[in-house]
């Protein structure tokens, strides 16, 4: 293994993994951290995926963005946990579960074939990669068995067109190692290398840059094995230079809450003032530079690390990007204005989206706390922290639970509301909808709530619930509609 960076000191050459058996169920066993000095990737019990879910994108070019709902635990043709992705087509009237496409590895044009426990849909991302006016969908299958070995993983691009997602090609890793596709990110910021896909796994990352074509070609593929055992990836333009910057977050490291955070690894080394498990990017203060938000949902491992109940770390972008020694803004549920209170095991920061919900030009931070107790143990909560040009972040924050007025259903023990979060306008009115999932709802079949966009942001008026049976899944448990987020590792 290549050393992470000289500044890592005693941690140099050490790789850490979560020793926790993958399951499409609702277990809550504590993660066991293992530190091993190795010269090759560890073969460890796989972590449950996925980290991120795709934002809505217009895959059929009708002018309305389409929602993407992963179901990595779905049974396909008798294959348990083979996985699927549901596309619900947007329209002026919003979404209808009758206007859908269910895509698996048995779907015509999709590479591979459905096999038990592949986890197709483990992580997803949308972007118009070939810049033809149709959104494309990047889908990972992190537990795919290939000729290279068991649970090697694969990543597929499903190409958008007038008839939707009808064909796919692979984004191959140079040396996939294990669990290639634990997380994916995609950003189409312009022609050529301004459009990129970033893929994370236990061997490191693969960065693919444009131009992309439907036949499966791309301009460049770069392997990075200097930051191995990757848990989360993101792309953002932190210096407004027109080309994406890479963000890599490792798996947990011993004596830290979460793993190390790298921006454009490994030019400057890990961020020295923070760590976490998941990352997202957006312009929170409206200065034209993307900012980096990292969720660190773990309780502290030492006196000077982490925050009780979890935290967010925010690094502001600038003309020089984000320096490795930069101090982040720290946000918890004890931050003034943020609803609730920091309590052990809340896992505030376990899901993230950064997007402008109220069209004020400032990106808002949507954060999940899927193990928050809201009258029922681990029922879950989602908090929105509005972006601000001046003043303290946290002011004006608000929260949702399943018991919030207007939201269908009711909070129950172990639902994990806030497993994943996403934002996107699916009815073309310019007011983005908010998508919230609960992986453990209804014996882990999962569910997704859609909160309509309004002038001041999302509203619970007219909100609705999408369940696994409503989109065609008949199995009684473990479908994981909406994805499993970080539930496999928190």
């Amino acid at each position: 293994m290549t050393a992470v960076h000289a500044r890592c000191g005693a941690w140099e050459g050490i790789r850490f993994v979560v020793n926790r058996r993958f399951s499409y169920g609702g277990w809550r066993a504590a993660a066991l951290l293992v530190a091993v000095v190795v010269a090759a990737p560890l073969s460890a019990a796989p972590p449950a995926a996925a980290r991120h879910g795709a934002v809505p994108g217009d895959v059929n070019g009708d002018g309305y963005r389409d929602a993407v709902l992963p179901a990595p635990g779905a049974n396909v043709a008798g294959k348990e946990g083979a996985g699927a992705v549901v596309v619900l087509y947007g329209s002026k009237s919003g979404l209808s579960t009758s206007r859908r496409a269910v895509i698996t590895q048995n779907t015509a044009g999709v590479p591979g074939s459905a096999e038990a426990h592949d986890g197709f849909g483990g992580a997803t991302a949308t972007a118009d990669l070939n810049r033809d006016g149709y959104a494309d969908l990047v889908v990972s299958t992190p537990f795919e068995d290939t000729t290279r070995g068991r649970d090697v993983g694969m990543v597929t691009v499903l190409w958008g067109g007038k008839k939707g997602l009808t064909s796919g090609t692979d984004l191959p890793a140079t040396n996939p190692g294990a669990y290639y596709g634990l997380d994916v990110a995609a950003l189409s910021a312009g022609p050529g290398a301004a459009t990129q896909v970033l893929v994370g796994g236990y061997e490191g990352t693969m960065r693919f840059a444009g131009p992309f074509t439907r036949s499966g070609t791309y301009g460049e593929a770069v392997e990075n094995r200097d930051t191995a055992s990757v848990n989360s990836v993101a792309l953002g333009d932190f210096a407004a230079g027109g080309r994406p910057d890479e963000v890599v977050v490792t798996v947990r490291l011993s004596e830290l809450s979460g793993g190390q955070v790298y921006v454009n690894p490994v030019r400057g080394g890990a961020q020295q003032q923070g760590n976490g498990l998941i990352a997202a990017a957006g312009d929170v203060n409206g200065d034209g530079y993307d900012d980096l938000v990292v969720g660190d949902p773990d309780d502290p491992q030492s006196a000077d690390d982490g925050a009780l109940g979890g935290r967010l770390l925010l690094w502001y972008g600038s003309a020089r990007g984000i320096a490795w020694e930069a101090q982040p803004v720290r946000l918890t549920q004890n931050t003034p204005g943020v609803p609730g209170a920091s309590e052990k095991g809340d896992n505030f920061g376990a899901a993230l989206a950064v997007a402008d919900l109220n069209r004020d030009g400032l990106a808002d931070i949507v954060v999940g706390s899927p193990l928050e107790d809201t009258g029922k143990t681990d029922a879950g909560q989602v908090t929105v922290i509005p972006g601000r040009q001046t003043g303290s972040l946290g002011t004006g924050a608000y929260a949702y639970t399943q018991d919030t007025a207007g939201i269908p259903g009711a909070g129950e023990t172990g639902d994990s509301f806030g497993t994943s979060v996403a934002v996107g306008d699916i009815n073309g009115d310019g007011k983005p909808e908010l998508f919230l999932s609960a992986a453990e709802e209804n014996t882990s079949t999962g569910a997704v709530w859609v909160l309509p966009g309004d002038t001041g942001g999302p509203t619970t008026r007219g909100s609705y619930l999408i369940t696994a049976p409503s989109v065609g899944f008949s199995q009684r448990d473990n479908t994981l509609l909406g994805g499993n987020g970080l539930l496999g590792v928190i």
Side-chain angles (χ1 to χ4, degrees):
M1 170 180 161
T2 305
V4 172
H5 195 273
R7 275 191 289 268
C8 291
W11 302 117
E12 186 173 337
I14 298 180
R15 188 170 298 173
F16 301 85
V17 299
V18 176
N19 184 15
R20 191 173 186 183
R21 183 61 200 168
F22 174 77
S23 168
Y24 284 117
W27 33 252
R28 285 285 186 268
L32 173 65
L33 294 177
V34 182
V36 184
V37 179
V38 291
L42 290 176
S43 177
R51 306 299 179 248
H52 284 107
V55 300
D58 186 4
V59 302
N60 60 357
D62 65 356
Y64 298 99
R65 294 188 180 188
D66 310 306
V68 178
L69 309 183
N75 297 345
V76 179
K79 306 295 185 180
E80 182 181 358
V85 171
V86 180
V87 177
L88 296 177
Y89 295 108
S91 70
K92 186 176 181 180
S93 58
L95 302 176
S96 169
T97 55
S98 63
R99 296 188 67 247
R100 68 176 188 262
V102 178
I103 302 170
T104 74
Q105 286 185 295
N106 284 352
T107 300
V110 178
S113 60
E115 299 168 319
H117 306 300
D118 277 352
F120 179 77
T124 53
T126 50
D128 183 2
L129 297 180
N130 60 349
R131 303 187 62 78
D132 63 353
Y134 301 97
D136 309 304
L137 179 63
V138 183
V139 182
S140 80
T141 313
F143 310 110
E144 177 83 15
D145 296 342
T146 75
T147 56
R148 291 178 179 264
R150 183 178 179 182
D151 292 339
V152 170
M154 68 182 295
V155 174
T156 302
V157 178
L158 302 178
W159 299 99
K162 287 184 179 180
K163 296 183 179 180
L165 304 170
T166 57
S167 66
T169 57
D170 287 336
L171 288 176
T174 305
N175 188 346
Y179 318 129
Y180 176 65
L182 271 184
D183 200 14
V184 297
L187 182 63
S188 182
T195 294
Q196 296 188 11
V197 175
L198 187 61
V199 181
Y202 269 19
E203 189 64 32
T205 60
M206 287 292 299
R207 178 178 60 84
F208 300 89
F212 293 87
T213 70
R214 291 181 69 95
S215 63
T217 65
Y218 37 82
E220 182 183 46
V222 178
E223 179 185 35
N224 170 25
R225 299 180 67 186
D226 292 319
T227 48
S229 298
V230 174
N231 188 69
S232 176
V233 295
L235 292 167
D237 191 355
F238 303 125
R243 293 183 62 169
D245 297 296
E246 303 171 50
V247 179
V248 173
V249 184
T250 73
V251 300
R252 282 187 183 90
L253 302 187
S254 180
E255 298 184 3
L256 290 181
S257 59
Q260 289 184 312
V261 180
Y262 291 84
V263 178
N264 291 323
V266 284
R267 298 174 195 170
Q271 298 302 113
Q272 297 297 290
Q273 303 297 325
N275 36 274
L277 289 176
I278 190 169
D283 188 0
V284 175
N285 61 355
D287 64 355
Y289 303 103
D290 280 347
D291 308 309
L292 172 61
V293 182
V294 170
D296 184 18
D298 288 351
D299 289 314
Q301 298 298 309
S302 62
D304 58 351
D305 173 65
L308 183 70
R311 63 180 179 174
L312 297 181
L313 302 171
L314 167 64
W315 286 272
Y316 287 110
S318 70
R320 295 184 178 181
I322 296 174
W324 68 271
E325 71 273 16
Q327 288 278 352
V329 175
R330 293 170 172 82
L331 300 164
T332 73
Q333 287 183 290
N334 285 343
T335 298
V338 177
S342 297
E343 301 166 318
K344 185 177 181 179
D346 282 349
N347 289 110
F348 179 78
L352 277 182
V354 182
D356 186 358
L357 288 166
N358 58 359
R359 302 182 301 166
D360 64 353
L362 307 172
D364 309 303
I365 304 170
V366 186
V367 52
S369 309
L371 303 188
E372 176 89 19
D373 296 343
T374 61
K376 298 292 180 65
T377 303
D378 296 345
Q381 177 174 294
V382 173
T383 304
V384 178
I385 301 174
R388 295 180 63 84
Q389 286 183 317
T390 59
S392 299
L393 279 174
T395 302
Y398 51 97
Y400 301 103
T401 72
Q402 286 191 70
D403 296 318
T404 299
I407 291 183
E412 299 170 314
T413 298
D415 276 352
S416 297
F417 183 76
T419 299
S420 64
V421 294
V423 176
D425 177 16
I426 45 85
N427 62 0
D429 66 355
K431 304 169 186 176
E433 278 66 45
L434 178 58
F435 294 79
L436 312 172
S437 83
E440 301 296 312
E441 178 81 9
N442 296 333
T443 60
S444 301
T445 56
V448 176
W449 285 258
V450 183
L451 277 59
D454 204 350
T455 302
T459 176
T460 60
R461 296 188 308 273
S463 63
Y464 52 97
L465 173 64
I466 301 168
T467 64
S470 75
V471 290
F473 297 112
S474 59
Q475 66 197 82
R476 296 182 179 181
D477 55 31
N478 299 329
T479 309
L480 299 176
L481 184 70
N484 205 39
L486 287 176
L487 289 188
V489 295
I490 61 175

